[in-house]
């Protein structure tokens, strides 16, 4: 019997019913892709990128259709446009960088055995599975899929069951380039489909929660296949005493609530020097209270709805816990309309690290603010988390750099927030439970999909068995 799922409309409209791929279908798709991968891999990097550029043109031709599907998936318009445009830029980026990276060769003479020459070859991993999340469904799929294809791998994607609509126009574009269609496919479905993908591939890229990432990593470990896990964040923002208060408040708000806080690099903890704390909070509350929701129209307002309604329940639970433990709520909170859930930016003070909103990822537009007395205390508070995805520091440049270097995070934005969402060419590693595996940014974003093979050439006569014969001493 076919297994049908229903993806809700985050704005409260009609949902989207689709059939989930079963294990047999996933296995069959993986077999088709793996069968075509060898022929794809023998193409030069330039030939592969020329084909991916043709796909890019087809995506541009379908831009409005893809934006409309993403808007229905996520309940927001501007960020849907940013997603497709960002994905197109990533294809262009790898079109420039991949041939250069893949042309690099290393060869030489062994220092251990002078008669041995060596040459390194880069061998694609094979079939890569990409299991992507609902918050940026297209971009966070292609951020892994495109460099994997550029490296010579085939790719099987499984998007979130909450955001399945964009797959149809995406695959329509793929099918205009048969060579790409032979090595790239998507299957839709829920956790069972995702598990089948993890079991069918030679390497897996997963973006999502820590809890699910642990399961994916454990299964990949059982199968002894590489796993690249980009997991959650609990990013801190440190506002030093020498920061500009107006700029700091505006940056803290933007960094916390863009995309309704549904981004792994969202600011979820704000620490402010006690000398400017009260003035900062006053400006932050004023700015947060002025932010608008797109409840009436998708093309009006700063914040869209929660994409997954269950996320609203988690945010409400964290807020209830904080208030019950003594937090002061200055503004904002969830609002429901026609089945959709929005949340006006929430500013909280009188908070502490014992609250759920400091221990768990929030993934919502919540801005809790704590005062600190000195740099040491700020660093201690910012590092008091199991997460370590990214962070931010605001203040005089040299001072901010000194503090940033002490933070336990893969990337630190200085005098801004969330720069990792904009800067894709600088490598970084995740700290703590925020992820494992080589960086998806910079050159490693492509090179992680290659194994290094060494060809060892003996130029002297091979050693005879007698060279290993025991003799009396």
């Amino acid at each position: 019997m076919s297994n049908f799922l229903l993806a809700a409309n985050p704005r409260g409209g009609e949902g989207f019913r689709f059939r989930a791929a079963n294990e047999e279908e996933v296995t069959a798709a993986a077999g088709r892709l793996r069968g075509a991968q060898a022929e794809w891999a023998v193409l030069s990097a330039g030939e592969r990128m020329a084909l991916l550029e043709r796909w890019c043109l087809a995506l541009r031709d379908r831009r409005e259709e893809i934006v409309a599907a993403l808007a229905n998936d996520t309940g927001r318009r501007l960020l849907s446009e940013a997603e497709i445009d960002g994905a197109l830029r990533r294809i262009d980026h790898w079109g420039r960088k991949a041939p250069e990276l893949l042309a690099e060769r290393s060869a030489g003479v062994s220092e251990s055995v002078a008669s041995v020459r060596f040459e390194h070859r880069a061998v694609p991993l094979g079939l890569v599975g990409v299991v992507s999340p609902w918050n940026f469904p297209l971009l966070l799929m292609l951020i892994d899929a495109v460099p994997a294809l550029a490296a010579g791998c085939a790719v099987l994607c499984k998007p979130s069951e909450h955001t399945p609509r964009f797959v149809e126009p995406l695959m329509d574009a793929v099918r205009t380039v048969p060579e790409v269609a032979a090595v790239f496919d998507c299957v839709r479905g829920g956790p069972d489909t995702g598990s089948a993908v993890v079991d069918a591939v030679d390497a897996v890229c997963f973006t999502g929660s820590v809890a699910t990432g642990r399961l994916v990593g454990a299964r990949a470990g059982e199968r002894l296949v590489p796993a690249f896990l980009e997991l959650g964040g609990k990013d801190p923002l440190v506002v030093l005493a020498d920061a500009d208060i107006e700029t700091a408040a505006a940056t803290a708000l933007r960094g916390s609530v863009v995309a309704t806080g549904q981004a792994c690099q969202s600011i979820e903890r704000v620490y402010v020097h006690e000398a400017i704390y009260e003035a900062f909070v006053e400006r932050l509350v004023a700015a947060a209270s002025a932010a608008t929701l797109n409840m009436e129209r998708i093309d009006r307002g700063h914040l869209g709805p929660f994409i997954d309604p269950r996320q609203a329940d988690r945010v409400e639970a964290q807020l209830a816990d904080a208030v019950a433990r003594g937090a002061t709520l200055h503004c904002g909170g969830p609002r429901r309309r026609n089945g959709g859930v929005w949340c006006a930016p929430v500013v909280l003070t009188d908070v502490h690290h014992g609250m759920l909103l400091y221990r768990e990822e929030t993934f919502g537009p919540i801005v809790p603010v704590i005062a600190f007395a000195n740099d040491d205390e700020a660093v201690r508070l910012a590092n008091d988390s199991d997460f370590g995805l990214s962070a931010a520091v605001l203040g005089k440049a040299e001072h901010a750099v000194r503090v940033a270097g002490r933070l336990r995070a893969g990337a630190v934005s200085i005098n801004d927030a969330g720069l990792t969402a904009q800067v894709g060419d600088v490598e970084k590693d995740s700290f703590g439970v925020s992820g494992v595996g080589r960086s998806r940014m910079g050159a490693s974003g492509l090179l992680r999909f290659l194994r290094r093979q060494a060809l060892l050439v003996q130029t002297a006569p091979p050693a005879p068995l007698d060279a290993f014969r025991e003799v009396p001493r």
Side-chain angles (χ1 to χ4, degrees), residues 237 239 247-257 267 270 280 284 367 394 417:
L237 168 65
V239 183
T247 300
T251 303
L253 180 67
R254 192 215 75 220
S256 302
V257 309
I267 297 299
V270 178
F280 174 89
L284 177 64
V367 195
L394 305 179

Side-chain angles (χ1 to χ4, degrees), residues 187-220:
V187 290
R188 294 189 290 200
D192 290 344
T193 305
S195 295
V197 169
V198 174
D199 284 344
V201 298
D202 304 314
V204 61
C205 298
F206 172 80
T207 304
S209 70
V210 173
T212 305
R214 291 185 193 277
L215 298 176
V216 172
R219 183 57 186 153

Side-chain angles (χ1 to χ4, degrees), residues 384-432:
D384 182 23
S385 174
D386 293 333
F387 297 91
L389 188 66
S390 45
V393 181
L394 305 179
K396 296 292 186 183
E398 291 185 5
H399 185 191
V401 169
R402 287 199 306 274
V403 172
R406 299 172 62 189
L407 299 186
R408 184 175 160 274
V412 184
S413 299
I414 297 170
N415 288 327
D416 206 336
L419 286 177
T420 55
Q422 305 169 44
V423 179
D425 58 343
V426 178
E427 294 192 19
K428 71 175 187 67
D429 294 324
S430 297
F431 289 23

Side-chain angles (χ1 to χ4, degrees), residues 8 179 276 318 451:
E179 296 90 342
I276 61 172
Q318 288 189 10
R451 284 192 175 94

